[in-house]
């Protein structure tokens, strides 16, 4: 929690508890974490979804809470995994250092034993003296060998453990940047990717297009058939986007029913062709209610495309792509509008 938020925490907590009581939500920790974030207003998409459920008289029960946490609190999981990994790493390193210290100690003891044994042997030494010296050296050598073997075995086990920890971290990192409902990248991953790709495009002097698409009349569809069917629509569109883009393109759920595709090294004409194929694929897919087999009709998408300008910031590129999307909606939906089309439309209106 940021420092400036601390003074508001009590207020958010009080409001969260009142809201839970008002809507009959049990005050368990999982429910509280969701409603506390709702009260803070820091996750607009979470608030929007809860508001819609309340408006439609749908419960925010434990199953809903689990779903909301999975989709909106992925970073919490990443933090837990990171902390857990750090603790395990500290434990492993401590054990290795302890064995190394003991091994070094055994090495020093071996040197001392050998030196003392050699100094104790003279021309007057008896066979028994020689045997005792050899036995002392052999015993010290065996201890040294045993600790070295133990260190090697522990290092091998630690290597395996560290590989598993790395895999867990990579998995958590991926989940923290993946939209839990659709399986594509989430908004956080999009923001990071856009910043990265803009820098690469600027460095290499390559074109880059941004596509922002929106499912037409999605709210009406949700209100008519329910949120579960709405989720099915979102997954369908995400699948069409993932299979329709080219290698190197970056697909993300931008928010709600909006999706975005970053297209590096792609001119606007190529981006338009790809977007239209995706739009046609979405339109061709008939939705069927799984429980009854009832046809629910077809879904359409509107898309806007902007081409990166030299030195342009990400926010500006998003704004221009979003403006093209607005033109597509205003022009009748189920269409792709690029900046070139928008300019042609303006010229036509001016003439």
């Amino acid at each position: 929690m940021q420092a400036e938020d601390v003074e508001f925490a009590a207020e958010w907590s009080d409001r969260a508890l009142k809201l839970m009581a008002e809507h009959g939500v049990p005050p368990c920790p999982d429910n509280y974490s969701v409603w506390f974030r709702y009260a803070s207003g820091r996750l607009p998409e979470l608030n929007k979804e809860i508001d819609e459920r309340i408006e439609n008289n749908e419960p925010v029960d434990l199953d809903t809470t689990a779903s909301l946490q999975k989709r909106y609190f992925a970073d919490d999981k990443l933090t837990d995994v990171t902390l857990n990994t750090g603790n395990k790493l500290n434990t492993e390193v401590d054990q290795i250092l302890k064995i190394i210290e003991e091994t070094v100690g055994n090495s020093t003891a071996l040197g001392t034993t050998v030196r003392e044994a050699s100094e104790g042997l003279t021309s007057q030494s008896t066979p028994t003296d020689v045997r005792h010296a050899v036995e002392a050296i052999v015993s010290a050598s065996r201890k040294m060998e045993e600790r070295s073997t133990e260190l090697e075995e522990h290092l091998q086990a630690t290597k395996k453990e560290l590989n598993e920890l790395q895999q867990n971290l990579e998995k958590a990192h991926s989940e923290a940047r993946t939209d839990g409902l659709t399986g594509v990248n989430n908004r956080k991953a999009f923001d990071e990717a856009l910043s990265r790709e803009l820098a690469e495009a600027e460095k290499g002097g390559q074109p880059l297009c941004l596509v922002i698409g929106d499912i037409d009349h999605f709210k009406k569809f949700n209100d008519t058939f329910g949120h579960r069917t709405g989720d099915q629509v979102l997954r369908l569109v995400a699948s069409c986007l993932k299979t329709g883009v080219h290698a190197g393109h970056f697909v993300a759920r931008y928010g709600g029913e909006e999706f975005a595709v970053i297209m590096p090294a792609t001119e606007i004409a190529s981006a338009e062709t790809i977007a239209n194929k995706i739009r046609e694929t979405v339109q061709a897919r008939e939705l069927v209610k799984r429980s009854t087999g009832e046809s629910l009709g077809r879904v359409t998408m509107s898309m806007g495309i902007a081409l990166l300008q030299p030195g342009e910031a990400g926010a500006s590129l998003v704004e221009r792509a979003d403006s093209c999307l607005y033109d597509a909606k205003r022009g009748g939906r189920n269409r792709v509008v690029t900046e070139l089309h928008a300019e042609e439309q303006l010229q036509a209106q001016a003439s």
Side-chain angles (χ1 to χ4, degrees), residues 47-116:
N47 285 35
K48 178 181 177 183
E49 185 163 343
I50 291 179
D51 288 341
E52 287 179 353
R53 296 190 70 86
I54 292 173
E55 184 180 344
N56 295 325
N57 294 319
E58 297 178 359
V60 185
D61 52 22
L62 285 174
D63 288 340
T64 304
T65 296
S67 175
L68 293 173
Q69 286 181 321
K70 181 178 180 181
R71 282 183 284 152
Y72 293 105
F73 307 158
D75 276 350
D76 293 353
K77 181 177 180 181
L78 176 60
T79 300
D80 291 342
V81 172
T82 303
L83 292 174
N84 185 45
T85 299
N87 292 334
K88 287 188 176 181
L89 283 174
N90 287 336
T91 300
E92 292 293 338
V93 170
D94 287 344
Q95 290 179 351
I96 291 172
L97 289 176
K98 181 178 180 181
I99 295 177
I100 289 175
E101 289 173 357
E102 291 178 359
T103 302
V104 171
N106 288 336
S107 177
T108 302
L110 173 61
T112 302
T113 301
V114 171
R115 185 173 62 254
E116 291 176 348

Side-chain angles (χ1 to χ4, degrees), residues 208-211 249 263 266-278 303 305-307 336 338:
L208 180 145
C209 283
L210 175 64
V211 181
H249 292 176
M263 297 184 174
T266 306
E267 295 286 359
I268 200 161
S270 298
E272 182 180 8
T273 299
I274 296 168
N276 266 313
K277 287 182 178 179
I278 294 171
M303 301 186 193
I305 306 176
L307 176 68
V336 175
T338 71

Side-chain angles (χ1 to χ4, degrees), residues 122-349:
T122 66
S123 58
Q124 306 300 320
S125 297
T126 65
T128 300
D129 294 333
V130 174
R131 187 177 72 252
H132 287 163
V134 171
E135 288 176 350
I137 293 172
V138 169
S139 176
S141 298
R142 284 176 177 170
K143 289 181 180 179
M144 176 70 178
E145 182 180 0
E146 288 172 359
R147 296 305 291 164
S148 296
T149 301
E150 183 179 349
L151 175 60
E152 182 178 355
E153 290 175 349
H154 193 83
L155 285 173
Q156 290 296 327
T158 299
K159 181 180 178 181
K160 181 180 179 181
E161 177 73 13
L162 292 179
N163 286 337
E164 292 177 356
L165 291 175
Q166 182 180 4
Q167 291 173 4
N168 289 339
L169 271 177
E170 290 173 352
K171 180 180 178 182
H173 185 274
S174 175
E175 290 177 350
R177 284 156 178 76
T178 301
D179 179 61
L181 177 63
T182 63
V184 298
N185 299 288
N186 62 15
R187 176 63 180 273
K188 178 170 185 173
F190 169 81
D191 290 339
E192 293 174 352
L194 184 61
S195 177
R196 181 176 64 249
E197 294 298 343
L198 290 184
E200 288 295 322
E202 190 75 19
K203 180 180 177 182
Q206 293 290 320
L208 180 145
C209 283
L210 175 64
V211 181
I212 295 185
D214 182 271
I215 302 172
D216 296 327
H217 303 295
F218 183 74
K219 186 179 186 306
K220 181 179 179 182
F221 195 97
N222 246 359
D223 293 342
T224 303
F225 299 108
H227 285 277
R228 287 191 178 182
T229 305
D231 289 349
Q232 183 183 343
V233 171
L234 291 169
R235 285 190 286 266
L236 165 67
V237 170
S239 175
C240 292
L241 285 165
K242 285 192 293 184
T243 57
V245 299
H246 291 184
H249 292 176
F250 188 93
V251 178
R253 185 180 177 192
Y254 191 72
E257 63 269 24
E258 280 194 335
F259 291 84
V261 184
I262 304 171
M263 297 184 174
T266 306
E267 295 286 359
I268 200 161
S270 298
E272 182 180 8
T273 299
I274 296 168
N276 266 313
K277 287 182 178 179
I278 294 171
R279 180 187 59 78
E280 291 167 359
T281 301
V282 171
Q283 184 182 11
R285 299 283 293 273
E286 183 179 3
L287 286 171
V288 177
K289 193 171 184 179
R290 294 175 180 174
S291 58
T292 63
E294 172 192 0
S295 174
L296 304 180
R298 301 180 189 276
V299 176
T300 62
M301 282 193 77
S302 299
M303 301 186 193
I305 306 176
L307 176 68
L308 178 67
Q309 301 300 318
E312 185 176 23
S316 173
L317 180 63
V318 169
E319 183 178 351
R320 292 193 296 109
D322 204 47
S323 177
C324 290
L325 170 60
Y326 176 77
D327 288 339
K329 292 284 190 180
R330 187 174 56 180
R333 295 182 171 83
N334 189 25
R335 64 188 61 209
V336 175
V337 170
T338 71
E339 291 177 307
L340 297 179
H341 290 162
E343 291 174 3
E344 291 171 0
Q345 291 172 359
L346 287 175
Q347 292 174 358
Q349 290 173 2

